[in-house]
Amino acid sequence: MKREDLLALLSDMSLEEKIMQLVQVPGQTYEESAAVTGLADMEKAEKSKYLAGSVLGLHGADKIIAIQKDYMQKHPHHIPLLFMLDVIHGHDTVFPCPLAQGATFDPEISRKAAEVQAKEASADGVQVTFSPMADLVRDARWGRVVESTGEDPYLNGLMAAAMVKGYQGDSIADKDHVAACVKHFAAYGAAEAGRDYNNCELSEHTLRDQYLHGYRRPISEGARLVMTSFNPLNGIPSSGNKWLMRDILRKEMGFNGVLISDWGAIGEMVDWGFAEDLKDAAKLAMDAGVDIDMCADSYSDYLDSLIKEGNVKEELLDEAVLRVLELKNDLGLFEDPYHGASAERYKEVSFSPESRELALDAVRKSLVLLENRNNALPLNSKSIALIGPYVDEKNTQSSWAITCDADKNVTLRTAFEEAFKETDTKIKYSAGCTLLDNDSDLGFTTYHSDTFDEDNDRLLAEALEIANSADTVVLCLGESAFQSGESTSKTRITLPEVQLRLFNEICAKGKKLITLIFTGRPLELNEIADKSDAVLICWRPGTESGHGICDVVTGKVSPQGKLPMSFPWYVGQEPLYYNRFNTGRPKPVEGDTIFTTRYLDCPNEARYPFGYGLTYSDFEISEVVLDKEKLTKSNPDDKITATVKVSNVGDKCATQTVQLYIRDMVGSTVRPIKELKGFKKITLKPGESAEISFAITDDMLKFWTAANIYDSEPGKFSVFVGFDSATENSQEFELLD
Ligand code: BGC
């Protein structure tokens, strides 16, 4: 439809029709016969069903085609309904969770994974996905870190932009693609104390310099929607924050797509004590420029009177409705309201061998090897005991793979059986314990109980017996799928007691011990890391879990993942992130170790820092060589080339991720001790070396200055090149005016 036709359509719509374009209803509206108690309710249910502009949570081509047909017939202007869903790391084929994708340091994998998700979801009737989540996360207590790509704004921006590219392709009208929604704007990851839905207090400087960064790239990439966050930012809930939405998001960042609230977030402004009632909340959200009210009744019930009373201008409404209509039009819904949905096509494209191959590649690249004493890995044993609750656990995805059937995920046992079928290696299997301390249904664990039920005693005895007869134990532990995700904040980021008991009892056997950890967040791993011969972080890997992990553990491929979030020694260090400030008292003064920035009982640094991860080989890196020491700001083409020589001095082919960090030594505001500005992956055979170069440009030196502008400031800089964020391999250079 041409723009003038859209405008004509808009001017022909009734006030009620227009308002309802801004209303998103939950899927049940179309699935269940609404429980109506009277005529008024019945009218409301009908109005929602046949006038609401969009619906959340439905999929299934036949179902969606039937709903759309019925809806369009009844809708006064036959405007198609828009179908939205959270397709986060898989629709049918499950890719590793976003945090694991961060660990790949490979945006191209995320782009391709998003492309597959778009193809599967679109054939299944979905037109918009609520992904990517570009929130910066610094606190492992917050369960939603599993949905982010980690603690670095630069990496987050790259990954989220790649996902948008994959979801949307060249045109969202293409039936293989869907529209993407960047969320949760803004700073949802800064929830106080890591408690979900909590307040966020951030200076404007930190907000702009650190937190907004990750959203910028995916928005510039053309993401068609943005979602507001649940949290207030410095006292103003996002869904009513005019400055954040109109000045920053729309004017500064140039976003001109659809802004949707998070689930019920407009209504929640009442609970926050920011809006008097739903009517007030609706006015605040309209003023802030929120186009769609997700699953609260504020727009549907109160926009009409707000407009008639003159408290919300009809032009504001028209602007928002036009954005929704434009999105529908750009998706091609006026021509094909099903956007290519077809049960046959879904069968054809979903869970294809190519998609599974990509998922396998993603798993292999996302696993992070934390410890590997005496080359305990790759496995080299003729008698293995595979023990732990994850041996047979199929739910290795996150709680956000909502449409994916966990039964299709390849377990570790299946993969090991396949891998060792025609060998003389003996493998025995045992669960060893339950996944959780008690068998409460949702994984709300009872921690630190020291009474274990008989079932667990029996499982433990069985496991110890098979450990006796093996020379290597591969222990498969971890959090459950429901211990990370929304509303899963934790004050203790350890494994369930029942798993720790199993770990300690197995340790006492003195066998070679390889520990695999499934997790959606950084964990405290001290005892496990100290006592295991090797520790591999597996995240929430999805469909190809077993195969990908088995390939790494057996040495078919070397691990190459790098931590996208710091793993602390203790939870008391949280929030913990590598790009912190130096403080005024960074190091103990000789003879006086008291008054420095430190903990009495733990280092300041992470146990495993951002960017860290071992391979099966050993790498060396040369000093950083700069081709010159001065960069001129006034010359936009000027650059300094930083070069290192990287050598594989071990005995295995492996891939290393060479990381470039920069520190601005003096700034008009205090600058972090290091910031990631680039990375390159290199695969080297034993004995091979390669030169890796990075171009340093003025753009990479920019930050939010004290003048509140994004700019660089002349002065001294340090450039670091290494294999993780703790590297001290550096040189200095200067930026001249
Ligand atoms: C979450 C969003 C999600 C939405 C719709 C909310 O509870 O915060 O991330 O997109 O639900 O499912």
Side-chain angles (χ1 to χ4, degrees):
M1 205 186 267
K2 287 200 206 101
R3 191 174 161 80
E4 56 261 38
D5 297 333
L6 272 191
L7 290 171
L9 171 63
L10 178 68
S11 65
D12 201 45
M13 289 162 75
S14 68
L15 182 61
E16 183 179 50
E17 270 180 79
K18 289 197 285 189
I19 290 170
M20 290 306 287
Q21 281 301 311
L22 309 191
V23 173
Q24 175 159 96
V25 289
Q28 295 93 296
T29 312
Y30 298 92
E31 291 190 311
E32 293 160 8
S33 52
V36 282
T37 51
L39 200 59
D41 273 359
M42 203 145 84
E43 270 174 19
K44 192 172 168 185
E46 284 287 294
K47 176 172 118 176
S48 300
K49 199 164 172 178
Y50 294 113
L51 284 180
S54 57
V55 54
L56 150 67
L58 295 178
H59 69 105
D62 289 342
K63 186 202 296 176
I64 279 175
I65 290 169
I67 291 173
Q68 185 74 295
K69 244 185 209 152
D70 182 42
Y71 174 96
M72 285 180 69
Q73 263 168 21
K74 301 223 168 75
H75 189 277
H77 280 91
H78 315 293
I79 297 174
L81 178 63
L82 189 54
F83 294 85
M84 307 199 191
L85 184 72
D86 293 89
V87 182
I88 308 293
H89 63 113
H91 187 74
D92 193 1
T93 315
V94 195
F95 296 91
C97 66
L99 194 60
Q101 291 186 36
T104 66
F105 274 61
D106 189 343
E108 189 52 15
I109 288 199
S110 292
R111 187 192 66 74
K112 288 185 188 157
E115 204 170 69
V116 170
Q117 294 177 73
K119 195 187 263 189
E120 293 183 350
S122 172
D124 205 28
V126 179
Q127 298 154 355
V128 173
T129 175
F130 294 133
S131 176
M133 173 169 133
D135 299 323
L136 182 74
V137 296
R138 294 177 157 181
D139 196 327
R141 292 171 295 181
W142 194 49
R144 300 200 77 169
V145 303
V146 66
E147 300 168 57
S148 157
T149 48
E151 75 188 34
D152 184 76
Y154 170 73
L155 183 62
N156 286 352
L158 289 180
M159 300 303 282
M163 290 179 199
V164 169
K165 226 187 238 171
Y167 289 130
Q168 297 193 161
D170 292 333
S171 160
I172 54 170
D174 179 340
K175 66 179 182 333
D176 282 340
H177 290 280
V178 295
C181 176
V182 173
K183 66 189 189 184
H184 307 84
F185 200 78
Y188 185 31
E192 262 176 25
R195 182 155 55 80
D196 207 3
Y197 315 122
N198 204 3
N199 187 35
C200 296
E201 288 289 327
L202 287 177
S203 68
E204 184 180 338
H205 174 259
T206 303
L207 172 75
R208 288 176 175 282
D209 196 48
Q210 300 292 320
Y211 281 82
L212 292 185
H213 219 77
Y215 308 112
R216 279 196 191 101
R217 270 187 208 249
I219 288 171
S220 317
E221 190 57 53
R224 299 305 308 262
L225 298 94
V226 167
M227 187 187 291
T228 69
S229 57
F230 284 124
N231 57 282
L233 181 63
N234 303 329
I236 318 276
S238 299
S239 301
N241 195 331
K242 209 168 159 180
W243 171 76
L244 186 63
M245 300 306 171
R246 290 203 183 267
D247 295 352
I248 306 261
L249 176 66
R250 293 225 186 260
K251 274 201 208 112
E252 273 186 38
M253 294 189 176
F255 175 69
N256 55 16
V258 169
L259 178 60
I260 185 169
S261 79
D262 201 345
W263 182 295
I266 296 181
E268 285 174 19
M269 291 198 284
V270 178
D271 302 85
W272 277 107
F274 185 72
E276 220 168 276
D277 48 29
L278 272 189
K279 184 172 179 183
D280 191 23
K283 175 174 165 40
L284 287 163
M286 280 305 283
D287 286 347
V290 181
D291 299 323
I292 298 183
D293 177 3
M294 187 199 291
C295 303
D297 287 335
S298 62
Y299 282 5
S300 62
D301 291 0
Y302 299 104
L303 267 190
D304 180 78
S305 51
L306 281 167
I307 287 167
K308 287 181 179 150
E309 289 156 12
N311 287 319
V312 169
K313 291 211 183 85
E314 194 159 349
E315 296 88 82
L316 268 194
L317 171 74
D318 287 354
E319 243 176 52
V321 176
L322 188 59
R323 279 196 285 262
V324 175
L325 294 179
E326 275 168 346
L327 175 60
K328 293 183 177 186
N329 193 36
D330 292 349
L331 278 160
L333 297 186
F334 289 101
E335 290 75 34
D336 172 11
Y338 316 116
H339 198 253
S342 134
E344 252 167 50
R345 195 173 144 62
Y346 181 59
K347 239 189 234 152
E348 222 174 84
V349 300
S350 68
F351 218 65
S352 70
E354 300 77 41
S355 307
R356 292 190 60 175
E357 196 55 41
L358 180 63
L360 175 63
D361 187 41
V363 177
R364 288 167 168 175
K365 289 180 172 154
S366 67
L367 306 182
V368 183
L369 184 63
L370 296 184
E371 298 287 352
N372 196 19
R373 301 189 174 95
N374 305 317
N375 296 327
L377 280 178
L379 278 184
N380 176 19
S381 166
K382 292 283 167 238
S383 124
I384 300 168
L386 202 65
I387 295 174
Y390 268 101
V391 170
D392 287 306
E393 178 60 51
K394 293 194 161 165
N395 195 350
T396 55
Q397 57 207 34
S398 88
S399 54
W400 274 112
I402 46 183
T403 52
C404 307
D405 179 1
D407 276 349
K408 288 159 114 177
N409 296 341
V410 178
T411 64
L412 283 168
R413 183 200 290 253
T414 304
F416 271 71
E417 277 172 356
E418 281 170 21
F420 289 98
K421 200 168 45 194
E422 272 149 31
T423 69
D424 55 0
T425 303
K426 288 197 193 71
I427 311 194
K428 289 186 177 160
Y429 305 88
S430 166
C433 68
T434 50
L435 190 48
L436 298 165
D437 283 345
N438 58 25
D439 49 11
S440 70
D441 48 5
L442 264 184
F444 297 136
T445 346
T446 321
Y447 280 92
H448 304 297
S449 66
D450 39 33
T451 52
F452 298 103
D453 56 19
E454 279 168 25
D455 198 25
N456 264 305
D457 289 342
R458 181 183 53 76
L459 291 172
L460 177 64
E462 227 175 70
L464 293 177
E465 199 177 313
I466 73 156
N468 275 337
S469 60
D471 40 59
T472 300
V473 176
V474 179
L475 196 52
C476 318
L477 308 176
E479 288 199 320
S480 93
F482 300 98
Q483 286 179 304
S484 57
E486 190 170 344
S487 192
T488 55
S489 299
K490 287 171 87 181
T491 58
R492 283 160 292 187
I493 49 173
T494 50
L495 292 180
E497 269 307 286
V498 73
Q499 294 192 32
L500 294 177
R501 175 176 78 150
L502 172 66
F503 176 83
N504 281 314
E505 296 269 352
I506 293 288
C507 262
K509 294 279 164 202
K511 307 286 174 158
K512 190 184 278 184
L513 180 56
I514 314 294
T515 307
L516 312 180
I517 306 278
F518 290 75
T519 183
R521 57 149 62 80
L523 295 170
E524 267 180 32
L525 291 174
N526 298 325
E527 205 173 7
I528 289 172
D530 291 341
K531 294 185 181 167
S532 302
D533 294 286
V535 178
L536 186 71
I537 299 298
C538 302
W539 312 111
R540 309 290 320 165
T543 300
E544 292 296 331
S545 298
H547 289 146
I549 296 167
C550 188
D551 286 350
V552 166
V553 168
T554 56
K556 190 166 173 188
V557 294
S558 170
Q560 58 172 279
K562 297 283 185 175
L563 291 181
M565 263 190 102
S566 304
F567 273 46
W569 288 89
Y570 297 105
V571 70
Q573 294 177 284
E574 299 291 336
L576 180 68
Y577 44 96
Y578 82 95
N579 43 4
R580 63 185 188 278
F581 295 146
N582 197 36
T583 82
R585 296 190 177 195
K587 285 205 186 89
V589 179
E590 206 163 330
D592 170 15
T593 55
I594 299 175
F595 296 122
T596 57
T597 178
R598 63 171 185 156
Y599 294 106
L600 288 178
D601 52 357
C602 161
N604 288 348
E605 292 75 25
R607 165 121 203 194
Y608 301 105
F610 174 84
Y612 173 85
L614 303 172
T615 70
Y616 286 157
S617 205
D618 293 311
F619 284 88
E620 277 177 8
I621 187 164
S622 69
E623 282 187 354
V624 185
V625 177
L626 303 183
D627 64 341
K628 56 183 193 177
E629 284 163 10
K630 296 192 196 312
L631 185 70
T632 309
K633 184 173 159 64
S634 53
N635 174 3
D637 297 329
D638 203 10
K639 62 175 195 303
I640 292 179
T641 306
T643 306
V644 289
K645 185 174 164 197
V646 175
S647 311
N648 183 342
V649 296
D651 59 3
K652 304 231 163 24
C653 179
T655 301
Q656 182 58 270
T657 305
V658 186
Q659 301 160 37
L660 173 86
Y661 295 89
I662 291 181
R663 176 174 179 183
D664 186 345
M665 299 309 290
V666 180
S668 61
T669 66
V670 175
R671 304 303 306 138
I673 57 167
K674 258 176 214 148
E675 291 180 291
L676 184 71
K677 295 292 175 179
F679 53 84
K680 287 186 179 170
K681 290 194 154 217
I682 172 123
T683 303
L684 294 175
K685 294 196 188 100
E688 259 185 357
S689 299
E691 284 204 337
I692 306 277
S693 293
F694 294 95
I696 301 171
T697 59
D698 177 47
D699 242 15
M700 292 157 85
L701 312 180
K702 291 184 176 161
F703 69 104
W704 283 93
T705 69
N708 210 15
I709 52 169
Y710 189 61
D711 201 5
S712 61
E713 292 175 342
K716 287 206 170 106
F717 292 81
S718 285
V719 49
F720 302 77
V721 185
F723 301 147
D724 60 53
S725 64
T727 180
E728 288 302 331
N729 189 28
S730 67
Q731 287 294 342
E732 286 197 352
F733 69 91
E734 201 178 340
L735 177 68
L736 306 175
D737 262 329

